[in-house]
Amino acid sequence: MSQELMAQFLVEGRELVAEAARGLSALALQPGDAAAMEACFRALHTLKGSTGLFDLEAMGRLLHAAEDRLTAIRDGAAGDLDALVAMLDQVDRWLDSLERHGRLPADATAIGQALAGHIREEAPTEAPPAGAAWTIPAEFAGLAGTALRYVPREDCFYLGDDPIAIASAIPRLTALRVSLRAPWDPSEPYDPFTCNLVVEAVSAAPRAEVEAGFRLVADQVQFADLVVPKAVDREAVAPEEVAPGDVTPGEVAPEQGGGARRSLRVDAARLDRLAALADDLVIAKAGLAGLAAQVEALPGGHALGQALRARQARLDRLAGDLHATIGRVRLVPLAPLFARFPRLVRDIAGSLSKIAALEVVGGEVEVDKAVVDALADPLLHVLRNALDHGIEDPARRRRAGKPEAGQIRLAARVDGDQVVIEVTDDGAGIDPVTIRDLALQRGLLAPEEAARLDDAAAIDLIFAPGFSTAASVTTLSGRGVGMDVVRSAAAGLGGKVAVTSTPGQGTQVQFRLPLAMALVRILVVACGTETYGLPLDAVVETARLTPDRVVPIRSGRAFQLRDQVLPLVRLADLVGAGGAAAAGQGERVVIATVRGQQVGFAVDAFVDRMDAALRPMGGLLAQAPGLMGTTLLADGGVLMVLDLAELVA
């Protein structure tokens, strides 16, 4: 099989494992959840069918056993779902092996048989529904080719199978017979959701080609090779001369629902290129405002300048809609990423002789694909730390009055235009005193610096490069690499990460990341010879103050805005632009909301308002405080967009 087909199988396989895991989680909470049961069946059945495209017999047999177990549970058999969870974990490991090595491990058959046997302890394998004996129908006499008998499962509709569509796709069909598996009982109500059909057919195509069309339902079909007796004229039964009452391959085709949702897989690199072009378009159209101003300044150019501004307004709307649409196309749910962590948490906890359970919330939240792709390693670092440094061993938890099993919660939620992802554990927490002492021992802080640190700042030291609380190097920790990488990864995505902890009660690591690629409306202001961008969603209004409205308060200044007295700070002082305020002149002020309070920022001039495609800070400026990101101006210059909340912190 081609590498492209295998790559697609791996992507779809992980999605199906995640869907089955969500269904099992729902069934654990509510055993009678029909929708969850159907979702599990659909995911496992589809994945089992896909294994038929590759030499993955061990995986296919294990998934078939899981289907049997689900059938028994749905029919009322007792038993928990632990064996099915273990099956999904093993399939996930096999997908990892396929991705890394292109094949299943050498022990896949043995492991698959052992797991399948464990699964079937409470759900014996059903006999093939097609039955052991099959009498070729008399009407097939004289036909040559591949005969088949397809007996769909009674619950095939719940699994997403369409028996008639499957039969109609048989290549070079020369005969077809559809009958009832069992006579209808007129005393019983008709059940449209139970399949009672038997499909028998003959195809002139090679057997391998016919079998390929039934790979998703291979356990429900029987095949036989038909040979025309010598007394029969072969030319009389050639597939090209089928009797008018027979079905030819082109006459029956599955209908495509007009309202069905269509999807298309697109290479991520193409989407990235499209997004970059949309950013460039936003930058390019921003130059029209300056061009319109120049035209209006020409003699008799006012009308032309106004017409140009009208065209610019329309281009603004179109470019904004295009940018937003591309941003929505790039959105993907967090569920497939989150679904990989429960198994990893169990494996890591087992290697540490600890007991831990992971609760996942918010997998339905959709974020930009770049965020999802970059989050796997940072989240894994955080979960490892929670298990290694946070969750205590069972004996210690008992002494602390806690349950033996530690609890870790991975949750995602939307907050405005950001996604907030939190990893919370109920472990030992972080002791700020210990952090200070370790920082002093390792020369990361001078004694006077350590004395000035409050508890929050001390805990923040875990993000320092080279810092580790581990006493020795293990396979999980002790090398001083981890949380600094986590912070760098968040900064590279235009976001932030912070830690809060209570000794003895637990720790929370919170990521705040951009939800999607979006345009930011900014106000461009001048401070001396420099220009900066301020996000307009934080700006309340702008004002011009006369000198008599500004009053000194201690070492600062304030001014009255209607019935409020607001602090006034020079933006140039905050950004280090230098220069002094002009004496005796009015001041231009931007009133912005900072942490719930209004603050006035004195600037030298209001330059422009514009839509900007914000790009996160990188390189040496990645950790610079007070910067949200950068954007390009129409003339190619770089404009830094400020984070006012951090500037006044």
Side-chain angles (χ1 to χ4, degrees):
M1 291 293 175
S2 68
Q3 292 297 322
E4 292 81 3
L5 190 57
M6 173 59 78
Q8 183 177 353
F9 169 73
L10 290 173
V11 171
E12 292 179 348
R14 296 195 190 286
E15 293 174 353
L16 292 169
V17 167
E19 182 180 350
R22 290 195 296 272
L24 290 178
S25 297
L27 286 173
L29 296 174
Q30 188 174 353
D33 190 336
M37 179 67 72
E38 181 182 350
C40 281
F41 264 118
R42 182 172 57 248
L44 295 179
H45 188 67
T46 304
L47 184 55
K48 182 191 74 173
S50 298
T51 61
L53 297 172
F54 308 91
D55 185 17
L56 304 175
E57 183 179 358
M59 187 183 294
R61 289 182 179 276
L62 181 57
L63 290 165
H64 184 73
E67 280 188 305
D68 292 337
R69 176 66 175 268
L70 273 181
T71 300
I73 293 175
R74 187 190 58 195
D75 293 342
D80 56 37
L81 303 174
D82 289 346
L84 293 176
V85 172
M87 176 274 304
L88 283 181
D89 287 348
Q90 186 57 56
V91 170
D92 202 20
R93 293 188 187 94
W94 282 343
L95 291 175
D96 288 343
S97 178
L98 286 170
E99 185 174 18
R100 296 191 186 100
H101 311 296
R103 64 182 185 278
L104 294 181
D107 59 356
T109 299
I111 291 177
Q113 289 176 347
L115 275 176
H118 180 55
I119 287 173
R120 287 189 169 116
E121 285 179 1
E122 298 182 21
T125 305
E126 298 176 355
W134 176 29
T135 302
I136 306 296
E139 52 262 47
F140 291 176
L143 299 180
T146 301
L148 64 93
R149 184 172 190 258
Y150 169 34
V151 185
R153 292 172 54 146
E154 291 185 358
D155 60 352
C156 66
F157 301 134
Y158 292 100
L159 302 176
D161 293 343
D162 184 345
I164 299 302
I166 293 174
S168 67
I170 298 173
R172 300 176 63 185
L173 190 64
T174 57
L176 176 67
R177 172 185 173 184
V178 180
S179 58
L180 299 180
R181 175 167 42 191
W184 295 114
D185 185 350
S187 64
E188 295 291 332
Y190 171 68
D191 183 1
F193 300 106
T194 299
C195 183
N196 189 36
L197 300 178
V198 175
V199 178
E200 296 167 297
V202 177
S203 169
R207 178 164 176 168
E209 187 176 344
V210 179
E211 290 180 347
F214 288 88
R215 64 183 184 278
L216 301 182
V217 291
D219 57 330
Q220 303 165 40
V221 63
Q222 293 174 282
F223 295 96
D225 294 322
L226 296 183
V227 180
V228 179
K230 293 182 179 180
V232 179
D233 183 2
R234 293 181 183 274
E235 294 296 322
V237 293
E240 290 78 6
E241 299 179 7
V242 180
D246 293 334
V247 180
T248 62
E251 289 177 341
V252 181
E255 296 183 359
Q256 301 295 329
R261 183 177 180 181
R262 297 177 298 170
S263 62
L264 176 66
R265 290 189 180 275
V266 180
D267 182 27
R270 296 183 180 181
L271 278 180
D272 293 340
R273 175 60 178 157
L274 190 59
L277 289 173
D279 288 349
D280 292 342
L281 177 61
V282 171
I283 294 167
K285 60 91 177 170
L288 291 178
L291 186 59
Q294 294 178 29
V295 171
E296 288 174 340
L298 296 174
H302 181 73
L304 181 58
Q306 290 297 308
L308 189 58
R309 288 188 184 277
R311 300 286 179 167
Q312 182 208 4
R314 175 168 172 74
L315 185 59
D316 278 347
R317 291 193 296 271
L318 292 175
D321 288 346
L322 175 63
H323 200 278
T325 300
I326 294 174
R328 288 192 294 270
V329 170
R330 290 172 56 88
L331 295 180
V332 295
L334 287 166
L337 172 64
F338 284 4
R340 304 192 65 185
F341 292 128
R343 188 255 295 179
L344 291 172
V345 166
R346 287 193 293 272
D347 289 350
I348 295 171
S351 69
L352 296 170
S353 301
K354 296 179 180 180
I355 306 173
L358 178 66
E359 177 190 5
V360 176
V361 179
E364 72 283 356
V365 173
E366 293 186 334
V367 300
D368 192 278
K369 185 180 184 300
V371 175
V372 175
D373 290 345
L375 267 179
D377 286 342
L379 286 178
L380 182 56
H381 273 302
V382 173
L383 288 170
R384 281 175 171 168
N385 277 351
L387 290 163
D388 197 17
H389 302 299
I391 300 298
E392 310 94 332
D393 60 69
R396 184 178 173 189
R397 290 182 66 85
R398 283 195 302 270
R399 289 195 298 270
K402 297 180 180 180
E404 289 189 356
Q407 298 296 318
I408 303 176
R409 189 173 189 267
L410 173 60
R413 57 184 170 85
V414 176
D415 184 9
D417 61 351
Q418 293 183 318
V419 59
V420 179
I421 300 176
E422 296 169 337
V423 179
T424 308
D425 68 70
D426 66 345
I430 301 174
D431 184 359
V433 175
T434 301
I435 299 295
R436 286 192 193 91
D437 292 343
L438 287 172
L440 285 171
Q441 293 172 16
R442 296 169 187 178
L444 298 176
L445 284 179
E448 58 274 12
E449 292 176 320
R452 290 196 300 266
L453 288 181
D454 59 17
D455 288 349
I459 291 175
D460 197 65
L461 286 174
I462 67 172
F463 292 107
F467 185 86
S468 175
T469 59
S472 60
V473 175
T474 69
T475 57
L476 289 180
S477 61
R479 294 173 174 83
V481 177
M483 294 306 289
D484 60 320
V485 175
V486 170
R487 174 160 282 180
S488 295
L493 293 169
K496 304 179 188 303
V497 61
V499 173
T500 56
S501 183
T502 303
Q505 297 183 23
T507 301
Q508 181 182 87
V509 179
Q510 183 187 83
F511 293 82
R512 280 190 170 271
L513 303 166
L515 188 65
M517 180 187 70
L519 295 178
V520 178
R521 190 75 172 165
I522 62 174
L523 173 66
V524 182
V525 299
C527 296
T529 59
E530 303 290 337
T531 55
Y532 297 92
L534 306 179
L536 269 175
D537 59 356
V539 175
V540 178
E541 60 181 296
T542 59
R544 184 155 186 166
L545 303 179
T546 56
D548 60 296
R549 294 178 60 188
V550 179
V551 296
I553 298 181
R554 296 181 182 175
S555 60
R557 298 187 302 163
F559 68 100
Q560 184 169 355
L561 178 69
R562 292 182 284 277
D563 57 346
Q564 299 182 76
V565 176
L566 306 180
L568 178 63
V569 295
R570 291 188 68 236
L571 190 61
D573 295 339
L574 296 177
V575 298
Q585 297 182 7
E587 296 193 61
R588 296 174 177 85
V589 177
V590 177
I591 295 97
T593 301
V594 177
R595 294 190 178 91
Q597 297 183 346
Q598 291 187 2
V599 178
F601 296 89
V603 299
D604 293 334
F606 305 125
V607 179
D608 195 8
R609 295 187 183 190
M610 60 180 288
D611 290 326
L614 200 61
R615 297 176 182 177
M617 303 298 295
L620 295 176
L621 295 178
Q623 301 297 333
L627 295 179
M628 292 182 63
T630 62
T631 188
L632 291 179
L633 299 171
D635 61 1
V638 177
L639 180 73
M640 289 191 289
V641 181
L642 305 178
D643 186 333
L644 296 176
E646 282 198 354
L647 282 176
V648 298

